[in-house]
Amino acid sequence: MSTLNLETATRVLTAGQEAAAGIGVAMNIAVVDTAGNLVTFSRMDGAWIGSIDVALKKAKTSALFPMPTAAIGGLSQPGGPIYGIESTNGGLISFGGGVPLTAGDGTVVGAIGVSGGMVDQDVAVAEAAAKAL
């Protein structure tokens, strides 16, 4: 698989919804392709409206720089090698909750961004969803 189609993205999204429901947190979940373009999105009932944009930007960040957003956060601290990256590409996110989606052959096919809980909850849901790929 070298691209992310809607069927696969929906499977990832559904796994994210199930993981979020399992911890009792309403989340916004975005699945994007490698260019950061939206493939599918869900706002669970009761999820924070402000987290819609955060989920989208987490997914976009992880797609454009194929690594978890938490890793980007570590590199973008003051004095870090990519300090200030959050202000590029129309706005990026540098804390956890975005993870790349990697096919079995190691090819990155997109990313998922999750927002609505505490950062560790967002990360757990994103990682659980990514496993559905």
Side-chain angles (χ1 to χ4, degrees):
M1 169 176 41
S2 60
T3 61
L4 184 64
N5 62 29
L6 180 59
E7 179 183 350
T8 302
T10 300
R11 185 172 67 244
V12 170
L13 179 88
T14 300
Q17 291 172 319
E18 291 170 358
I23 61 171
V25 179
M27 303 248 182
N28 292 287
I29 303 170
V31 180
V32 301
D33 64 17
T34 55
N37 297 308
L38 186 63
V39 178
T40 190
F41 180 86
S42 172
R43 177 174 173 247
M44 296 173 69
D45 292 342
W48 294 334
I49 292 172
S51 289
I52 294 170
D53 185 58
V54 176
L56 291 165
K57 286 183 178 170
K58 284 180 182 184
K60 174 183 161 185
T61 301
S62 194
L64 296 179
F65 301 93
M67 66 181 79
T69 53
I72 291 172
L75 298 169
S76 65
Q77 297 300 308
I82 58 173
Y83 176 67
I85 196 167
E86 300 90 351
S87 63
T88 70
N89 293 285
L92 301 175
I93 297 288
S94 60
F95 52 89
V99 297
L101 297 174
T102 306
D105 66 359
T107 303
V108 174
V109 296
I112 185 167
V114 176
S115 184
M118 300 305 294
V119 171
D120 60 328
Q121 293 171 319
D122 294 352
V123 169
V125 169
E127 289 175 348
K131 289 179 183 173
L133 187 63

